[in-house]
Amino acid sequence: LKFDDFISEYIDIMNGIGQGDPISMLLYIIYNADLLEALRRLNEDAIGYVDDALVVATAKTFKETT
């Protein structure tokens, strides 16, 4: 971690799924399925690919999008 002039010692992160793990695709589908389905019902563009989700919300004004 780095804040202003401070830099911490190395921190081992021991969680998550390893890159290339075959089960990660299945877990992604289970985890994000509800999000993508809810957005489709709202007629919003939503894309799920590998382990990412992208949502595009459009409107005529900024207030409508928020």
Side-chain angles (χ1 to χ4, degrees), residues 36-46 55-58:
L36 297 174
E37 183 60 31
L39 291 166
R40 284 190 195 107
R41 286 188 204 134
L42 294 172
N43 293 322
E44 295 295 339
D45 293 327
V55 178
V56 178
T58 59

Side-chain angles (χ1 to χ4, degrees), residues 1-27:
L1 300 173
K2 182 177 178 181
F3 299 98
D4 297 327
D5 294 329
F6 172 78
I7 299 175
S8 72
E9 295 294 321
Y10 179 78
I11 300 170
D12 239 353
I13 299 175
M14 303 298 290
N15 66 355
I17 299 171
Q19 291 292 323
D21 191 329
I23 198 167
S24 64
M25 296 294 272
L26 178 61
L27 294 175

Side-chain angles (χ1 to χ4, degrees), residues 45-66:
D45 293 327
I47 300 169
Y49 179 74
V50 185
D51 63 353
D52 295 316
L54 169 72
V55 178
V56 178
T58 59
K60 292 181 180 181
T61 67
F62 178 75
K63 188 173 182 175
E64 288 177 20
T65 62
T66 58

